[in-house]
Amino acid sequence: MLTAAVGYSVRVQDLHAHLFQVTLTIAQPAPLQRVSLPAWIPGSYLVREFSKSLQRLQAHQGATSVALTQLDKCSWQVECAANQPLVLSYEIYAFDNSVRTAWLDAARGFFNGTSLFLQVAGQENLPHALELPANKALPNWQVATGLTPKKTNKSGFGRYLAANYDELVDCPVEMGEFWSGSFVACGIPHRFVVTGAPPSFDGDRLLADTQQICEAEIRFWHGPKAGSRASNQPPQQSYLFMLNAVDDGYGGLEHRNSTALICTRKDLPRLSNPALLPHTTQPPTTQPKPSEGYTTLLGLISHEYFHTWNVKRLRPAEFTRYDYAQENYTQLLWFFEGFTSYYDDLLLRRAGLIDDTTYLKLLTKTVNQVLQTPGREVQSVAQASFDAWVKYYRQDENTPNATVSYYTKGALVALCLDLTLRHEKKTTLDAVMRALWLRCKGGPMRESDLSSVLEALSGRSFAKEIAHWVHGTADLPLQTLLEGQGIAVLEEPAQIAQRLGLRVAESNGIVIKTVLRGGAAESAGFAAGDEWLGLEVGTAKSATHWRLSKLDDLLLYAGTATQVIALVARDKRLLKLSLTLPKAVTTWRLAARDGQRVGQWLNAA
């Protein structure tokens, strides 16, 4: 085993049974050595009980079996001699194709350390080592991880080191036959690996666009000379992007020097097929405008990379040291996720990857998401942060009525602060973020640190704004601040679902997913799970009946009627619900009115 206080070996045991074999060696165990598997993974605030996938746990010292006692859902105690190494072996079932846990099949292996590595009580701060033995049955497989290599072969199999347990589990591992590319951003080497890409995948474009994102964000935090000897150095010495392209999926999880991403294959950048293009003798001179799906993927890349600073280093004081066995509460996710969500698309604009119109379209979507969430009047964004463990990650049909997203409203709090600071012409939120980084030395912070920096740079207290915008439930002064920055706030008719106060699924008929508080559908008596079958229009003697296949059919068949009968199925019963069609409901659309003022904001360095 490896020359470290705590060492792990992970082998591919059975591809078709989706099993990893893990061996843990503790060089100097305690007489009653306790070990435990994390119950959650930092960055995803839900207790996921990873121990449910652990099986066949055994302990040995030399050739002697050692007694194991399970203490709780994720902890065990080993009675052993303290003068010789203790070896534990176990299997991990890996069949969750997300960024949070572990996966293994004939095409790919992936794992986060929180899903595989038992934590050794009392030795968390000692050096940890990982061995990934090559498998002769998988000659074309490679390894990608942010861990420091000690002795590896050209495919990446071999030995890796970590300074402690936290670092070990904060570096996920990708294994398989994947596409790989690299670039340098501000002097820092970056690698991008993609699994599951189709033949049309344009890797060169993904690398070039990601490089622009990374350079924009490094310079955002460390200035135009980032990477030079005289600059404020970035915290990462290298960085790894791991992207899993699937038929349908989206998400990401940040780590200290890497990120795990998942996207839909059709959203990847594509090579042009000359056989399918119009005939021309002139080669294209510019890259085509990114598709909406690819723009979303670039926003995800920007978001997770920004977390390299904002949550992985600059982080809530409550996260100074993680307790992997239970919830770790903080009221600051509105800052760490929300402010990151504000800057992810904004930095795409500053990197030149989207234009003003596209950025304002993305911002419009965020604004409307919040304004169409009744829960914003029930829960503050600080409460939403604290309740992430029981509400945000456990969404149901009532979630929009009872909660607000700390991602979207947090982003709008950042927008309001930024535009307020710019209007007062003393400083910007960009400067505040950099000053926070220096004040907290890229480490734990509290809300009071943000308040202090805001006051120091602006010359006044922002206590009132923080109290109302973060700890209150009143609407944000978005229209006033946007118009003051040269943005026109236009109103447009809402979609029929928004007018009715519904969220529906229409893949096979109309199924009600959510009934929004205070809407026409709630007044009529609709409930989540109802199947909306048809419509009765007119008086009892002259009523006509229509079958609905999609929600837009309502306007087709209702005509000028202001009240109709909705025919719904609930628990195999057919019901008639009297529905009053609401007057016009509008949504926002943002457009640039004063190009100079908009440019001062969107083009800021």
Side-chain angles (χ1 to χ4, degrees):
M1 181 45 78
L2 307 178
T3 55
V6 181
Y8 303 82
S9 175
V10 176
R11 299 176 182 272
V12 173
Q13 176 164 309
D14 192 324
L15 295 172
H16 303 306
H18 317 292
L19 292 175
F20 285 112
Q21 174 68 38
V22 183
T23 303
L24 164 60
T25 301
I26 307 168
Q28 295 182 326
L32 291 175
Q33 181 63 63
R34 181 171 175 151
V35 296
S36 59
L37 195 67
W40 68 288
I41 182 170
S44 184
Y45 307 102
L46 177 68
V47 173
R48 297 184 184 275
E49 315 292 17
F50 297 133
S51 60
K52 69 180 183 291
S53 297
L54 186 150
Q55 60 192 42
R56 297 184 186 273
L57 177 61
Q58 299 177 342
H60 295 84
Q61 285 190 299
T64 305
S65 251
V66 180
L68 275 160
T69 303
Q70 186 163 3
L71 303 177
D72 55 38
K73 64 184 181 182
C74 61
S75 301
W76 294 262
Q77 186 170 274
V78 190
E79 298 181 24
C80 59
N83 59 351
Q84 58 179 307
L86 171 66
V87 179
L88 293 90
S89 63
Y90 52 95
E91 297 170 349
I92 295 291
Y93 177 70
F95 201 60
D96 179 1
N97 198 19
S98 74
V99 298
R100 297 179 297 268
T101 52
W103 171 269
L104 181 64
D105 68 1
R108 172 181 181 252
F110 171 82
F111 63 82
N112 287 285
T114 44
S115 292
L116 263 69
F117 299 142
L118 288 169
Q119 185 177 27
V120 181
Q123 301 196 32
E124 298 90 345
N125 292 324
L126 298 178
H128 285 54
L130 171 63
E131 183 173 12
L132 299 172
N135 190 321
K136 293 182 180 180
L138 303 168
N140 297 322
W141 276 33
Q142 303 176 69
V143 169
T145 180
L147 286 168
T148 301
K150 181 64 175 178
K151 185 178 181 181
T152 59
N153 64 20
K154 63 180 181 179
S155 297
F157 288 96
R159 300 177 179 182
Y160 293 86
L161 296 178
N164 49 46
Y165 183 81
D166 283 347
E167 181 179 323
L168 176 73
V169 299
D170 203 17
C171 295
V173 174
E174 178 78 34
M175 296 188 291
E177 298 182 41
F178 47 69
W179 176 91
S180 178
S182 61
F183 60 87
V184 175
C186 299
I188 299 170
H190 291 67
R191 184 185 183 192
F192 211 128
V193 302
V194 181
T195 301
S200 61
F201 168 54
D202 187 348
D204 288 341
R205 182 169 189 186
L206 180 64
L207 289 178
D209 292 345
T210 303
Q211 181 181 18
Q212 289 182 248
I213 292 169
C214 294
E215 289 178 345
E217 297 195 2
I218 292 170
R219 288 169 179 154
F220 172 89
W221 287 100
H222 302 286
K225 295 183 179 180
S228 68
R229 292 183 180 180
S231 72
N232 179 13
Q233 290 291 335
Q236 69 276 32
Q237 296 180 341
S238 63
Y239 196 88
L240 170 67
F241 293 94
M242 293 170 282
L243 175 60
N244 181 25
V246 298
D247 180 62
D248 184 20
Y250 174 82
L253 192 62
E254 69 276 1
H255 300 279
R256 65 182 61 202
N257 66 346
S258 65
T259 183
L261 309 167
I262 188 168
C263 78
T264 301
R265 289 190 186 97
K266 66 181 180 181
D267 291 341
L268 289 169
R270 303 181 194 181
L271 296 166
S272 298
N273 187 331
L276 301 177
L277 295 176
H279 177 69
T280 177
T281 58
Q282 299 296 324
T285 57
T286 60
Q287 287 278 15
K289 185 177 181 180
S291 67
E292 185 174 332
Y294 183 45
T295 298
T296 300
L297 173 58
L298 292 177
L300 176 65
I301 291 169
S302 177
H303 183 99
E304 302 304 337
Y305 194 67
F306 197 84
H307 274 318
T308 306
W309 294 267
N310 197 41
V311 89
K312 294 313 298 183
R313 271 83 178 183
L314 193 66
R315 61 191 185 277
E318 297 90 344
F319 291 177
T320 300
R321 189 62 187 263
Y322 296 119
D323 181 346
Y324 294 101
Q326 61 184 349
E327 297 88 345
N328 290 215
Y329 294 101
T330 179
Q331 289 194 357
L332 283 175
L333 295 182
W334 59 270
F335 177 86
F336 291 100
E337 291 293 354
F339 280 42
T340 299
S341 295
Y342 172 62
Y343 277 110
D344 54 21
D345 290 334
L346 183 56
L347 287 166
L348 290 186
R349 170 63 190 85
R350 293 181 183 174
L353 296 173
I354 58 175
D355 57 21
D356 290 357
T357 300
T358 302
Y359 175 73
L360 291 177
K361 182 178 178 181
L362 294 169
L363 182 58
T364 297
K365 182 178 179 181
T366 300
V367 170
N368 284 327
Q369 283 177 336
V370 173
L371 293 181
Q372 292 163 10
T373 301
R376 76 187 192 281
E377 299 176 346
V378 177
Q379 184 186 54
S380 74
V381 75
Q383 290 172 324
S385 300
F386 196 85
D387 284 340
W389 298 90
V390 294
K391 292 189 177 181
Y392 185 82
Y393 283 91
R394 289 195 173 105
Q395 298 195 15
D396 59 25
E397 71 285 345
N398 192 50
T399 293
N401 296 320
T403 71
V404 67
S405 167
Y406 50 79
Y407 283 89
T408 52
K409 188 176 179 182
L412 297 184
V413 169
L415 170 69
C416 289
L417 282 173
D418 198 9
L419 297 187
T420 299
L421 293 168
R422 291 176 185 277
H423 175 73
E424 295 178 0
K425 299 181 179 180
K426 293 291 182 68
T427 188
T428 67
L429 190 61
D430 301 2
V432 169
M433 297 298 287
R434 289 189 284 268
L436 263 176
W437 175 261
L438 296 176
R439 173 187 173 92
C440 300
K441 300 178 181 178
M445 65 160 278
R446 302 180 185 277
E447 186 181 299
S448 58
D449 291 308
L450 173 61
S451 298
S452 295
V453 170
L454 282 168
E455 184 168 358
L457 296 189
S458 70
R460 72 169 181 88
S461 170
F462 272 76
K464 181 178 178 180
E465 286 84 354
I466 295 295
H468 289 173
W469 301 349
V470 174
H471 298 280
T473 57
D475 280 338
L476 302 171
L478 293 168
Q479 184 166 355
T480 300
L481 291 170
L482 286 165
E483 290 176 342
Q485 194 62 44
I487 302 295
V489 179
L490 308 174
E491 292 188 348
E492 296 184 336
Q495 298 294 319
I496 185 62
Q498 296 159 2
R499 289 176 57 188
L500 296 174
L502 285 175
R503 295 181 182 177
V504 303
E506 295 183 307
S507 58
N508 186 19
I510 306 170
V511 177
I512 310 302
K513 306 299 291 184
T514 296
V515 180
L516 297 177
R517 186 74 66 242
E522 184 185 55
S523 297
F526 279 87
D530 287 353
E531 182 181 4
W532 194 347
L533 301 174
L535 201 66
E536 181 181 301
V537 182
T539 62
K541 292 184 178 180
S542 61
T544 58
H545 297 81
W546 304 94
R547 181 75 166 90
L548 298 183
S549 58
K550 56 184 184 297
L551 203 54
D552 285 344
D553 291 344
L554 174 62
L555 298 180
L556 173 66
Y557 297 129
T560 60
T562 58
Q563 189 163 349
V564 297
I565 300 297
L567 309 175
V568 306
R570 181 185 303 165
D571 192 28
K572 303 299 183 181
R573 293 183 300 154
L574 297 179
L575 305 177
K576 290 186 174 184
L577 305 179
S578 179
L579 174 64
T580 300
L581 299 180
K583 295 181 180 179
V585 176
T586 59
T587 59
W588 284 18
R589 181 171 67 85
L590 306 180
R593 186 184 65 228
D594 185 329
Q596 182 177 0
R597 279 187 290 172
V598 172
Q600 290 171 349
W601 164 37
L602 298 186
N603 296 319

